[in-house]
Amino acid sequence: MHIGVHAQQTPDKPAYIMATSGQVVTYAELDATSNRIAQLFASHGLVPGDAVCIMMENNPMFWPIAWAAQRSGLQYTAASSRLTAPELEYIINDCGAKVFLTSAEKSDAAVEVREKIPGVLAAYMVEGTAPGYESLEESMAAMPSTPIANECEGGDMLYSSGTTGRPKGVKTALSHAPMGTSPSLVGLLTMLYGATSEMVYISPAPFYHAAPLRYCMSTMRLGGTVIAMERFDPEQCLSLIETYRVTHGQFVPTMFVRMLKLDESTRTKYDVSSITHAIHAAAPCPIPVKEQMITWWGEKIYEYYAGTEGNGFCAVSSPEWLQKKGTVGRNLLGPVHICDDDGEEVPTGTPGTIYFESATQFEYHNDPEKTKASRHPKGWTTLGDIGYVDADGYLFLTDRKANMIISGGVNIYPQEAENVLTMHPKVGDVAVFGVPNEDFGEEVKAVVQPADWSLVDTPEKQAAVSRELIDFCKTQLADIKCPRSVDFDPELPRHPTGKLYKRLVRDRYWQGRESKLV
């Protein structure tokens, strides 16, 4: 489970290949480069337990930096490459980073924050320099390519994407075990998905997100090869699967939707038969989307439900899912408890807050109130999601608690309407949420990103498509769950990992109110 071992045994094997540029980085190169960066960290006096922060696009230098931190026993925060300067400043200071590493592509934000991160001892940039930043390539070149003396396992501390509030740093205790000690995720990948040194894993999402970061690192621990997409493109993804005979990959439902919406002639011309495990997570997958993916790729679609917090891990295979459509599986780490707002467990099949009973402990860094809010009096922990468990122990998600709409005293979970509307051919993306209604408190609103703006480029067209979408929704859901009105937006603010910044859209409709509760 050590890239240094793979560097000795299979030095010329690709550890990762950048999809668009075609750049190949071998295990020998990854090992040597990460050692030099680890030596650079040590030259600044960093010791196990210290923190560093990385903020860059899907850049080939991301992985040597991450491995340098991992093998130095450091806590490393991979920050979103889409952060504004104030957001970046908050995360760097909050995580306590002593070294900050970024790229020339992100120099605008990097330069703006440089004087506002006093705890940072050294700041480095790849592929160029900017005021306040040294060249990482030049600095590490002077360092030896041998391991540091006190090499041991570090770990990530990642921040939630902030879809319902300010980002939270999810902190777990570092083990500082000998480098190469197998983490639990590698065991899960081996057990559930047949991960081996022969796997070819495609990663179409941003590296900084928890799942891509951890799954790519796990693939390299095993000695497999990662096909790293700089950004997701549906046809390129299919082409890469064919070209590299990809065996494993991890996707989010919006990626499935975009691949399914390709012209059939485009979609079917690529050979995807090498795929043995197509894994998806991060957001609920509409049942019709998953049905179509299973029809297309076969019973190779695997779903899991988990969080950066690591307190639960539900998993389900295609055959199981076909018997329990809509489930995210059963928890592999311990019992699941569904509770009402008073913390009392509710009957089987009744929605409530999902709590995991698990040995895993975490805290939200520098936020004891958020940590406390995630705890049940019995010690169980929650991600804040709503769902129910059936008689066989399968978990079904209904929504995030923060997104629930209360209209006329009835709880409405907007995910249901989103799942319906996303399948309409005129819909490219959609957000459903509650907006003020003087009679009922809230009413259901949909904001749609059309598949083509020409469909709604006049008020008359918008009115017609709005009626069409509402009527379409009513064919599958009760009236109260369907939008009473539809607005249109050229592009919804969706995170590259697939999560929608619904709060940003919803806030437009609540401006001027001291409270968002009516």
Side-chain angles (χ1 to χ4, degrees), residues 480-494:
I480 195 170
K481 296 181 179 180
C482 297
R484 294 186 62 174
S485 59
V486 178
D487 291 347
F488 297 91
D489 195 316
E491 184 174 7
L492 293 181
R494 187 173 284 277

Side-chain angles (χ1 to χ4, degrees), residues 243-263:
T243 299
Y244 292 105
R245 304 301 295 161
V246 168
T247 60
H248 294 69
Q250 185 164 184
F251 308 88
V252 295
T254 52
M255 295 174 182
F256 286 162
V257 170
R258 288 182 63 188
M259 289 190 285
L260 288 166
K261 287 188 175 182
L262 290 169
D263 291 339

Side-chain angles (χ1 to χ4, degrees), residues 279-302:
I279 306 157
H280 73 93
C285 186
I287 288 175
V289 171
K290 190 158 179 175
E291 288 174 330
Q292 291 178 53
M293 286 303 301
I294 293 173
T295 299
W296 179 17
W297 286 11
E299 293 186 0
K300 303 173 180 181
I301 312 297
Y302 293 78

Side-chain angles (χ1 to χ4, degrees), residues 364-381:
Y364 294 118
H365 186 54
N366 290 337
D367 203 327
E369 287 302 312
K370 286 179 180 175
T371 300
K372 182 180 178 181
S374 71
R375 302 294 197 267
H376 187 277
K378 294 185 178 180
W380 311 329
T381 57

Side-chain angles (χ1 to χ4, degrees), residues 3 36 126 197 271 320 328 378 399 458 499 503 513:
I3 58 169
R36 291 186 191 279
V126 302
S197 61
D271 179 5
E320 286 179 286
V328 294
K378 294 185 178 180
D399 211 343
T458 68
K499 292 183 179 180
R503 171 176 51 84
R513 292 176 176 264

Side-chain angles (χ1 to χ4, degrees), residues 1-11 13-18 23-34 58-68 70-71 76 153 179-183 185-186 189-190 195-203 205-229 247-248:
M1 302 300 172
H2 194 328
I3 58 169
V5 174
H6 304 313
Q8 294 174 359
Q9 297 179 346
T10 55
K13 182 176 181 177
Y16 58 97
I17 301 171
M18 300 303 296
Q23 179 181 349
V24 176
V25 177
T26 66
Y27 274 100
E29 292 168 333
L30 175 60
D31 184 54
T33 305
S34 63
N58 282 13
N59 188 294
M61 280 298 291
F62 181 96
W63 297 115
I65 294 169
W67 274 111
Q70 183 71 40
R71 68 195 307 168
Y76 53 99
E153 292 280 356
M179 188 58 196
T181 301
S182 176
L185 180 59
V186 172
L189 291 179
T190 302
T196 70
S197 61
E198 300 303 312
M199 71 190 293
V200 179
Y201 177 86
I202 191 165
S203 183
F207 298 162
Y208 60 78
H209 189 61
L213 172 62
R214 293 169 181 174
Y215 277 62
C216 287
M217 297 279 278
S218 295
T219 298
M220 292 179 223
R221 281 186 183 272
L222 289 165
T225 296
V226 172
I227 309 301
M229 296 185 72
T247 60
H248 294 69

